[in-house]
Amino acid sequence: METQELFLATQTILASQQITEICTSLVSQFHTLVGADRTTLFLVDHETQAIVYRTGCGNSDDDLAMSYEELTQGLSGLACESCQPILSLHANDGLEPQATRARREHNATGSLIVVPLVVQKQAIGTITAINRSDQPQFTERDLALLGMLATYAAATIEKVQLMERTQRALREMEGLFQAAQAILGSTTLEEVCRNLTAHCKDLVQASNTVIYLVDHERNKIDLSMYDGMLLGDEGTMSYDELNAGISGRVLTSGQPALSLHADDGIEPPATRERRARGGTGALIVVPLATHGRVIGTLTAMNRVDQRVFTFHDVELLMALATQAATTIENVRLLAVMQDQVQRWESISAINELTSAQLDTESLFNLVYEEALHLMGVPAEKATFFIARYDAQSQTLHFDLHYEWGDRIPFCVVPLGDGISSWVIENNRPMLVADLTTEQADYGYHDYLTERERATGKWPRACIAMPLRIQSHVTGVMSIQSTDVGVFDEGHLALLAMWSGKLAIALENARLVEALRAQTTQLQARNEDLDAFAHTVAHDLKNPLSVVRGFAELLREEYDLLDARRRHEALQGILLASEKMHTIIEELLLLAGVRKARVHTAPIDMHRIVNEALLRLTYLIDQHHAQITMPDDWPVAIGYGPWIEEVWANYISNAIKYGGRPPEVILGATEQPDGAIRFWIRDNGPGIPTEKQPRLFSSFERLEHTRADGYGLGLSIVRRIITKLGGDLGVESVPGQGSTFFFTLPKAADVSGMCF
């Protein structure tokens, strides 16, 4: 009868196709075959120290609720360890371990049989038949029967497990193949990481995945992704925080890590509390490594109530991570190559544009825009300048200078201890990735502190390139950014490729500008020569005619003239000679202003105006002119002797061409741009609008019939004021008088400049 029951039980078990079906059938047959009070079955995973399946017959909840540790402390642990069945008749027969004996007595458990389920010499679980202490004891025959049944069950379980492993391996291979296809087909870092995240979750049944790509040289995280979503700066941990946890160990060692729970000793104390607080259970961290260099980590996580990962999961993720790391590196290399191609194309286009530009200001604007674009620095974060080097004076002339998008006026500074001076003196480029740590070496510390206090922002990275024509250094180009580490050797190479063409283009533009200036000067000189010729032909002609007329009179009729007539003739010759002398002096002054080099300084305008009036005393008295001027004058920058000539010309013209009697008013007005406008107003007939543009252009005398005079006065005024960096002009309405003016810088704005 027992043999038949055993055969039927065996057939039922062997026909089962699933682990759960085998276990349920085994428990039922086991329970019936020996008439047990209750039966329990546990399948375990010794690698993860977990019970993977439990079932029973006639059991209480306590029988099935024990943990892996509790199970392995009792007879089940001994059976698994020895792979041999155990028959224990009562709690005190010496077989029950001390740790579980009290529990067995408390439950009034009598005899029991524990049979290991052995597959390939390793117990994968146990099945236990239990009777109460008041029930019949099991026998050795019961032990043999159950051992035979367990052997068949274990063989069937092995067969099913082999099928499941084969199917799982096929699924995993297919999953890895699909993952490899998706990852290899990615063209951006973000796409690679998203595909890696999706296939990682599928392969190991992870609840969450995290990817970090790091830059060890700059101690920063380049990319953070959580479950396929990119994390910004505020939503992720820092580089130091990442290195404090398990990821730090993986980044350092290049080896994967499997942690089953927060207290298994693998999680560092610094991050253990955070992990427990987040409810994270098992996790796997694998390195993303290529060519022996770890570039990041991939982390798979489950919650405490979810599946525990295995070492097989680690192997799967390592295979996936290896493929992903290679692809990431390839994508980065492709991006670098594409960027280099684009930059080479940009450099080629910029060189063409630069070489074709001959206007200095247009070239400056082009260079500024292209330099920021080439370096990838926005204007609001950039300082950019081109400084021309003067070897004779050992100075740098900042022809082009921008700070945070604003143009800075031209200035000249001596060579010092800064980066630009170092570049000039050593004829080598300079790259400073972090000025906050290296500024003291280049004399930046005090300057940066002052700028930070003034503007609230200052350069933190700098790149500077000498501008050379052949081996001769002509200047320096520098770009600075408020962000640390934005420049690298690639940027330096780009500037090097550009700097040669740029130096030549700047020199060509300066030569063209100088040629244009010389051409303008030649034109002006030709105009002056024409004016001189016109003056000599017209103004000198009249006094010369007087001299000639009186001289001929004296020669032909000297004896017939009385003393009075002789004196008048001589007086006429003298006055005409003085007039010619004055004209010649004015001609010399006009020519001298062009060549003279004077130093400007604050001037006493009250004294200068009085000196001019003193020179014109005879003219003022002759015309009974009324002169009105302020008691106090604003202080301007200029050259006193020249400004006296300006006032003398303006005042004499106002008297000669003003009303009868002349009423002349002098004054000064401060302008919004910081200049001072000095003016003189007369009560004359005014100047027609069409004649006003010709007043300062060359020799002009507007009304020969009303007044004597010579026409170089306003040409001299124009030459002087232009030389001093000011402006001049006239405002006039016919019938309402005229106002002539000129401007000079305020004393507070400019001093000691050499023109």
Side-chain angles (χ1 to χ4, degrees):
M1 182 66 179
E2 290 177 349
T3 303
Q4 184 179 0
E5 291 178 352
L6 180 62
F7 176 77
L8 293 174
T10 302
Q11 292 299 311
T12 302
I13 291 170
L14 291 174
S16 302
Q17 300 295 320
Q18 295 181 348
I19 299 293
T20 56
E21 185 181 354
I22 295 171
C23 293
T24 302
S25 179
L26 177 60
V27 167
S28 175
Q29 300 298 333
F30 214 85
H31 189 77
T32 303
L33 198 60
V34 297
D37 178 61
R38 57 190 189 275
T39 305
T40 60
L41 182 144
F42 295 95
L43 295 182
V44 298
D45 184 344
H46 297 294
E47 182 182 328
T48 60
Q49 298 182 355
I51 296 174
V52 297
Y53 184 74
R54 65 186 77 201
T55 187
C57 183
N59 302 101
S60 65
D61 292 339
D62 290 341
D63 291 333
L64 297 176
M66 67 178 66
S67 65
Y68 176 85
E69 290 79 9
E70 292 172 331
L71 180 70
T72 55
Q73 285 174 357
L75 289 175
S76 293
L78 294 175
C80 286
E81 185 176 351
S82 64
C83 291
Q84 296 294 325
I86 298 173
L87 170 62
S88 176
L89 300 179
H90 51 79
N92 297 310
D93 60 3
L95 297 176
E96 185 76 46
Q98 185 68 34
T100 57
R101 190 177 302 165
R103 184 177 61 196
R104 179 173 174 182
E105 291 176 346
H106 176 75
N107 292 334
T109 300
S111 63
L112 54 82
I113 296 174
V114 182
V115 181
L117 299 171
V118 181
V119 173
Q120 296 182 353
K121 298 181 180 181
Q122 182 179 6
I124 62 170
T126 60
I127 183 167
T128 305
I130 307 169
N131 273 341
R132 296 191 307 274
S133 56
D134 58 347
Q135 291 179 322
Q137 293 181 335
F138 295 119
T139 65
E140 290 291 340
R141 184 174 180 78
D142 295 331
L143 182 65
L145 286 172
L146 296 185
M148 291 175 62
L149 191 60
T151 300
Y152 286 117
T156 306
I157 289 174
E158 181 182 11
K159 179 189 71 174
V160 173
Q161 284 183 334
L162 179 59
M163 291 177 58
E164 289 182 348
R165 283 197 298 270
T166 302
Q167 291 173 349
R168 185 168 62 247
L170 289 173
R171 289 195 301 271
E172 289 171 351
M173 288 179 63
E174 183 180 0
L176 285 173
F177 177 74
Q178 292 176 350
Q181 280 189 315
I183 291 170
L184 287 172
S186 303
T187 57
T188 65
L189 285 181
E190 186 175 340
E191 188 179 1
V192 173
C193 293
R194 282 211 170 93
N195 284 323
L196 179 58
T197 293
H199 289 282
C200 169
K201 297 179 79 168
D202 289 341
L203 275 176
V204 299
Q205 301 171 36
S207 174
N208 306 105
T209 57
V210 183
I211 297 173
Y212 290 103
L213 299 182
V214 298
D215 184 341
H216 296 295
E217 292 183 0
R218 294 193 290 171
N219 295 335
K220 68 184 292 285
I221 296 173
D222 284 338
L223 181 143
S224 306
M225 181 174 285
Y226 181 84
D227 284 348
M229 180 177 65
L230 284 175
L231 301 177
D233 294 336
E234 298 180 357
T236 184
M237 64 179 69
S238 67
Y239 179 84
D240 292 335
E241 290 172 331
L242 180 68
N243 275 280
I246 296 179
S247 295
R249 293 182 178 179
V250 173
L251 287 170
T252 303
S253 67
Q255 298 298 318
L258 169 64
S259 176
L260 301 181
H261 50 80
D263 299 317
D264 59 4
I266 297 177
E267 184 79 48
T271 56
R272 191 176 301 160
E273 181 182 348
R274 182 178 62 198
R275 176 175 170 184
R277 188 170 59 249
T280 301
L283 58 81
I284 300 172
V285 183
V286 296
L288 296 170
T290 176
H291 302 298
R293 185 169 58 92
V294 180
I295 61 173
T297 60
L298 166 65
T299 302
M301 297 180 292
N302 274 337
R303 295 190 301 273
V304 291
D305 58 344
Q306 292 179 318
R307 175 179 178 270
V308 177
F309 297 121
T310 66
F311 284 109
H312 181 65
D313 296 326
V314 176
E315 293 173 353
L316 289 174
L317 291 190
M318 281 296 293
L320 195 61
T322 300
Q323 185 66 63
T326 302
T327 306
I328 288 171
E329 200 68 2
N330 290 340
V331 167
R332 282 177 165 170
L333 288 174
L334 179 61
V336 169
M337 291 175 62
Q338 290 175 337
D339 184 59
Q340 287 180 343
V341 169
Q342 290 176 352
R343 290 184 177 185
W344 275 86
E345 291 175 349
S346 297
I347 284 292
S348 178
I350 291 171
N351 280 336
E352 289 184 12
L353 290 172
T354 302
S355 301
Q357 189 57 257
L358 296 177
D359 178 72
T360 303
E361 193 60 30
S362 299
L363 179 59
F364 282 160
N365 293 332
L366 172 67
V367 169
Y368 173 61
E369 293 175 1
E370 294 297 340
L372 296 190
H373 176 71
L374 199 63
M375 297 294 104
V377 181
E380 63 272 13
K381 290 187 174 184
T383 296
F384 176 80
F385 64 79
I386 290 179
R388 178 167 36 91
Y389 173 53
D390 187 335
Q392 184 175 359
S393 63
Q394 289 293 289
T395 54
L396 291 175
H397 299 245
F398 285 74
D399 295 323
L400 179 63
H401 190 183
Y402 277 89
E403 285 185 0
W404 331 130
D406 297 326
R407 182 79 177 262
I408 304 301
F410 168 83
C411 66
V412 179
V413 299
L415 285 182
D417 299 325
I419 290 177
S420 298
S421 298
W422 187 95
V423 169
I424 291 290
E425 292 170 351
N426 292 273
N427 195 7
R428 289 169 53 195
M430 169 68 74
L431 171 64
V432 183
D434 188 355
L435 280 170
T436 60
T437 59
E438 302 178 60
Q439 55 180 292
D441 297 335
Y442 304 102
Y444 260 62
H445 187 272
D446 295 336
Y447 170 68
L448 291 179
T449 303
E450 180 181 347
R451 178 179 291 182
E452 182 179 21
R453 185 167 56 251
T455 66
K457 56 183 178 180
W458 42 276
R460 290 172 170 83
C462 174
I463 189 169
M465 178 66 59
L467 300 176
R468 293 183 290 247
I469 297 179
Q470 296 180 346
S471 61
H472 177 62
V473 179
T474 61
V476 60
M477 172 171 57
S478 177
I479 306 174
Q480 301 161 14
S481 172
T482 56
D483 295 329
V484 171
V486 296
F487 302 127
D488 55 29
E489 295 295 333
H491 293 98
L492 207 60
L494 287 173
L495 286 187
M497 288 187 288
W498 186 23
S499 61
K501 290 282 189 181
L502 177 58
I504 294 173
L506 288 170
E507 188 66 20
N508 288 341
R510 291 187 184 113
L511 290 174
V512 170
E513 185 177 17
L515 182 60
R516 287 171 178 165
Q518 289 177 356
T519 302
T520 302
Q521 290 176 2
L522 287 174
Q523 290 175 346
R525 289 178 182 178
N526 289 335
E527 291 176 2
D528 290 344
L529 288 174
D530 289 342
F532 291 171
H534 192 71
T535 299
V536 171
H538 292 80
D539 282 0
L540 289 181
K541 180 179 179 180
N542 291 333
L544 278 173
S545 297
V546 172
V547 171
R548 182 177 179 179
F550 281 121
E552 289 179 350
L553 177 65
L554 291 174
R555 184 187 65 184
E556 296 176 0
E557 300 183 14
Y558 183 82
D559 295 334
L560 301 175
L561 297 175
D562 57 19
R564 182 181 64 80
R565 293 292 302 277
R566 292 173 185 169
H567 178 75
E568 288 177 353
L570 292 173
Q571 185 67 25
I573 292 174
L574 179 61
L575 290 175
S577 299
E578 289 178 353
K579 190 169 186 179
M580 287 189 291
H581 175 75
T582 302
I583 292 174
I584 292 171
E585 287 295 323
E586 292 290 353
L587 290 172
L588 292 174
L589 175 60
L590 182 61
V593 169
R594 178 185 298 281
K595 298 178 181 179
R597 188 172 179 83
V598 297
H599 287 273
T600 61
I603 55 177
D604 183 354
M605 195 62 75
H606 184 78
R607 182 189 61 80
I608 289 172
V609 172
N610 283 329
E611 290 288 342
L613 292 174
L614 184 61
R615 289 170 52 184
L616 301 173
T617 300
Y618 175 77
L619 187 64
I620 294 171
D621 293 342
Q622 181 184 7
H623 292 275
H624 305 288
Q626 180 181 347
I627 309 295
T628 304
M629 66 177 184
D631 295 329
D632 297 318
W633 293 83
V635 181
I637 295 295
Y639 181 61
W642 283 0
I643 299 302
E644 182 180 326
E645 291 296 332
V646 171
W647 279 119
N649 274 285
Y650 272 177
I651 294 171
S652 63
N653 283 343
I655 293 173
K656 292 176 183 178
Y657 302 111
R660 293 292 176 263
E663 295 179 4
V664 181
I665 303 174
L666 284 64
T669 306
E670 294 191 20
Q671 303 292 98
D673 60 0
I676 300 176
R677 180 173 178 171
F678 297 95
W679 50 267
I680 178 169
R681 183 180 301 121
D682 63 44
N683 61 338
I687 302 170
T689 304
E690 66 274 8
K691 291 185 177 182
Q692 292 177 17
R694 297 186 288 120
L695 282 177
F696 299 94
S697 59
S698 61
F699 171 82
E700 290 288 347
R701 189 172 64 198
L702 298 181
E703 193 173 337
H704 297 278
T705 59
R706 286 200 52 205
D708 296 329
Y710 48 88
L712 288 176
L714 294 182
S715 295
I716 294 173
V717 170
R718 183 196 66 179
R719 181 71 54 78
I720 288 174
I721 297 304
T722 302
K723 188 81 171 182
L724 294 177
D727 193 14
L728 75 167
V730 61
E731 296 171 351
S732 182
V733 177
Q736 299 181 20
S738 302
T739 299
F740 286 79
F741 66 87
F742 65 92
T743 65
L744 292 174
K746 283 181 63 175
D749 296 334
V750 183
S751 63
M753 292 190 67
C754 184
F755 292 87

